[in-house]
Amino acid sequence: MTRRRLAVAVLTSALALSACGANDKPQTTADTAATRGGTLRILSDGQTVNFDPAKSSNLAITSLALVHRRLTAWHNKPGEQAKVVPDLADTGKTSDGGKTWTFTLQEGLKFSDGTPITSADVKWGIQRSFAPAFSGGLGYHKQLIEGGDTYRGPFEGAELKGIETPDERTIKFTLVRPYGDWPWVASTPAFAPVPKGKGAEADYAEHPVASGPYQLAEYQKGVKVRLTRNPNWDQVKDQVRAALPDEVVWQLGQDASVISQRLVADAGDDKTAFGSSFVSAAQLAQLANNASAKERVVTSKSGALAYLALNTEKAPLNNPKVREAFQYAVDKAAFQIASAGTPALAGDVATTLITEGIAGREKFDLYPAQPSGDPEKAKKLLAEAGFPGGLSGLDFVVSKSNNGAEKAQAIQAGLARAGIQTTIRTLDGDAYTEETSGSATAAFDLTLASWQPDFPSANANIQPLFQSTEIGGGGYNLSRYRNAEVDRLIGEAQATVDPAEAGKKWAALDRKILQDSPVVPLIYTRNSFLRGSKVANLFIADFPAYPNYLQVGLSK
């Protein structure tokens, strides 16, 4: 696949449940009733908010979706598995087992400037994402649409062969192979409409033509973004956006600790604000004696999979028995403590690759042990593999960000109990990325990583991390795992249109891959967010581990 990543980033931090005790349950929603009107404020430590759909990796429930609709959308609520639902169009139909997909747009849709939204505008927006000048967004579609492997965008008059628009409301995609998750792919940012002929300028993100309930009224990099209502948006034609506030305002460039302090103080306009970044474990610990602030922490039930990747191309880690020993040697409880202070703050111990809230997920544990591990079992497995004296000199590379060194030290200590000796090497972000995923070969033995899917399908859990095509070149197969049978089964599961049948195939792949032990699942990280006292209906569903911006409002 073309390289892609969330604007919400590769999730490498294990974040918090609440500032309460280990037995407390996550508060996944703010129960206050939301009303229409007012100004919702979002406090951000970022310098920009990207409203260019071609360049965006934004989830379908966060900031971009306030301004841009897509062909399809997500329905997600706590306690429910996410499902694909109509947005601009229906959820798509296929008559040939998933190789061609046809979507029909609703009647009467308009852009913020009052012009009709047509299938040609959707096609233009997708084509625009292929232009080299507008790279950087999610790219699942780029190698799937027929002709996409060589297409360079529409600005020189070329059209993408695999997209047809026989009339103003119909758009048909011809893919290079059957792909059952195409309705999910149609919810990614590139499937937002851009008026045909527009968007050639590099700063389109600062003055986009809106199809969602809000339009961009003010943009000051590093300072402020202000959205106002789109007068041509029709609530009747949009089932996923409540559009409760009259305005949405981002305050940019705020220090993360200052954001936390402001929201804890809950004064003035900050009562109507929430933080777009995770509340850190250290910040949550400071809330332990503040009952008001604790009540305003909203936390995911689960989240991204944190895992230890083993470089399967290097001896002795090319030996499956050696890799199996790591499943027992790792101290997941110590990793929880290093990540967030307590197991409850960090997230539950992980035993599967597919995360919670994803259809088809099966809960199992192929390597049962206490959370602290079973070093004696690990030693036995190493002896059976021909290493009775253990292993030494393993290169353990981690990123300096997100408490990486401390988490690596927790893993290192657990491995040492089983006779596995490692040397930790910390790298800055770009150097870490280049070493772990940039090149065709890699010198490291072990690394820590984390992953949350880009859309609610087990496909997005499994394929990016374990298909052999994702090794190097910016791919996320950090364990450099190659298994021809797994590759074949991934293709088979991707080609399955029926979600229930596909779910069974992905669950079987989850087990099959873990039998090879290319990674050790560690925890399902929890994310916490802090809100002001007048922010209402801020909830985090079972997937993803982020608030649904589209439903947030204010209380009276």
Side-chain angles (χ1 to χ4, degrees):
M1 283 260 166
T2 305
R3 295 283 54 78
R4 66 253 171 218
R5 196 54 254 143
L6 306 171
V8 297
V10 176
L11 306 176
T12 53
S13 51
L15 291 155
L17 167 62
S18 71
C20 310
N23 294 322
D24 292 338
K25 295 181 179 179
Q27 179 180 322
T28 59
T29 186
D31 295 329
T32 312
T35 59
R36 186 177 175 86
T39 298
L40 174 68
R41 293 170 173 84
I42 302 174
L43 308 182
S44 172
D45 58 0
Q47 297 296 313
T48 62
V49 182
N50 182 11
F51 291 110
D52 187 333
K55 295 181 178 181
S56 176
S57 302
N58 211 246
L59 291 171
I61 59 163
T62 52
S63 55
L64 187 80
L66 296 170
V67 173
H68 298 290
R69 300 178 68 178
R70 304 135 193 231
L71 282 179
T72 63
W74 303 357
H75 170 86
N76 74 332
K77 287 187 176 180
E80 300 181 13
Q81 289 183 336
K83 62 182 180 180
V84 66
V85 294
D87 196 0
L88 291 173
D90 55 20
T91 56
K93 298 178 177 63
T94 181
S95 58
D96 60 358
K99 189 172 182 182
T100 60
W101 288 88
T102 301
F103 295 79
T104 303
L105 274 64
Q106 298 184 64
E107 293 187 74
L109 298 169
K110 294 181 180 181
F111 284 110
S112 54
D113 62 6
T115 58
I117 297 173
T118 69
S119 56
D121 300 314
V122 177
K123 178 178 179 177
W124 180 264
I126 298 167
Q127 290 183 144
R128 188 173 166 272
S129 72
F130 284 82
F134 298 98
S135 62
L138 295 184
Y140 288 90
H141 59 291
K142 292 185 178 180
Q143 292 182 6
L144 287 170
I145 299 175
E146 187 176 298
D149 56 338
T150 58
Y151 186 64
R152 303 280 290 177
F155 297 112
E156 295 179 2
E159 301 228 353
L160 183 53
K161 178 181 178 182
I163 307 179
E164 300 173 62
T165 53
D167 58 55
E168 290 190 346
R169 292 181 53 215
T170 303
I171 185 165
K172 178 182 177 182
F173 299 93
T174 300
L175 309 183
V176 297
R177 58 188 172 89
Y179 199 82
D181 274 340
W182 190 250
W184 283 121
V185 174
S187 74
T188 57
F191 290 75
V194 175
K196 187 174 181 180
K198 293 187 180 293
E201 63 277 15
D203 63 349
Y204 183 73
E206 298 179 24
H207 51 82
V209 183
S211 54
Y214 297 97
Q215 58 189 350
L216 189 55
E218 185 178 354
Y219 195 110
Q220 299 179 54
K221 289 181 180 179
V223 180
K224 181 181 182 180
V225 169
R226 182 168 66 92
L227 305 182
T228 57
R229 290 195 182 277
N230 171 5
N232 288 296
W233 173 77
D234 186 350
Q235 175 75 80
V236 174
K237 299 179 187 298
D238 192 336
Q239 64 174 282
V240 296
R241 296 166 183 82
L244 295 173
D246 290 330
E247 294 191 355
V248 182
V249 175
W250 276 261
Q251 293 184 19
L252 304 176
Q254 306 294 307
D255 182 85
S257 62
V258 174
I259 291 174
S260 182
Q261 291 167 11
R262 287 174 56 179
L263 292 173
V264 168
D266 196 38
D269 287 345
D270 289 341
K271 291 182 179 181
T272 62
F274 71 92
S276 63
S277 300
F278 312 145
V279 183
S280 71
Q283 291 166 343
L284 284 166
Q286 295 173 6
L287 306 183
N289 297 316
N290 188 323
S292 171
K294 283 166 58 175
E295 290 179 356
R296 292 184 281 109
V297 174
V298 180
T299 301
S300 64
K301 175 184 175 183
S302 185
L305 172 69
Y307 62 95
L308 176 69
L310 314 178
N311 187 345
T312 59
E313 290 183 336
K314 282 191 67 181
L317 299 177
N318 58 355
N319 183 328
K321 183 74 75 172
V322 170
R323 297 198 300 269
E324 184 180 352
F326 279 78
Q327 303 286 356
Y328 295 97
V330 167
D331 186 341
K332 298 181 183 181
F335 183 82
Q336 289 174 312
I337 301 299
S339 297
T342 70
L345 290 172
D348 293 339
V349 165
T351 59
T352 67
L353 304 172
I354 300 174
T355 48
E356 289 194 46
I358 299 292
R361 178 179 186 263
E362 294 180 4
K363 188 175 181 179
F364 62 88
D365 186 357
L366 297 183
Y367 309 103
Q370 294 297 316
S372 58
D374 186 343
E376 295 307 313
K377 173 77 169 179
K379 289 178 182 178
K380 180 180 178 183
L381 288 166
L382 287 174
E384 292 174 2
F387 298 93
L391 304 174
S392 62
L394 297 185
D395 180 26
F396 191 177
V397 62
V398 294
S399 172
K400 289 181 179 178
S401 63
N402 297 311
N403 203 32
E406 289 81 0
K407 288 184 274 192
Q409 288 165 5
I411 297 294
Q412 181 184 55
L415 295 177
R417 298 175 311 162
I420 301 172
Q421 306 301 323
T422 63
T423 300
I424 296 173
R425 185 162 51 94
T426 59
L427 297 174
D428 290 324
D430 289 345
Y432 172 80
T433 300
E434 177 59 29
E435 174 143 355
T436 56
S437 64
S439 61
T441 59
F444 71 91
D445 294 295
L446 313 173
T447 191
L448 287 173
S450 185
W451 183 262
Q452 179 167 269
D454 293 317
F455 51 86
S457 168
N459 178 8
N461 278 110
I462 299 294
Q463 183 272 334
L465 302 188
F466 301 105
Q467 191 169 42
S468 62
T469 56
E470 303 302 293
I471 297 172
Y476 292 98
N477 185 343
L478 304 187
S479 60
R480 315 186 84 79
Y481 175 66
R482 297 179 188 272
N483 185 318
E485 178 67 3
V486 166
D487 286 347
R488 184 187 69 78
L489 292 172
I490 286 174
E492 183 180 297
Q494 287 182 329
T496 303
V497 173
D498 179 71
E501 185 182 350
K504 293 176 182 177
K505 292 179 179 180
W506 290 116
L509 268 163
D510 193 341
R511 289 178 180 268
K512 183 173 183 61
I513 293 167
L514 278 176
Q515 287 171 353
D516 284 344
S517 294
V519 303
V520 179
L522 298 172
I523 62 174
Y524 306 113
T525 62
R526 290 184 171 123
N527 299 339
S528 289
F529 300 83
L530 186 57
R531 63 177 178 89
S533 58
K534 290 189 176 181
V535 174
N537 206 35
L538 183 76
F539 67 81
I540 304 176
D542 291 9
F543 179 92
Y546 290 85
N548 187 326
Y549 286 31
L550 312 185
Q551 300 297 321
V552 181
L554 302 173
S555 61
K556 291 183 178 180

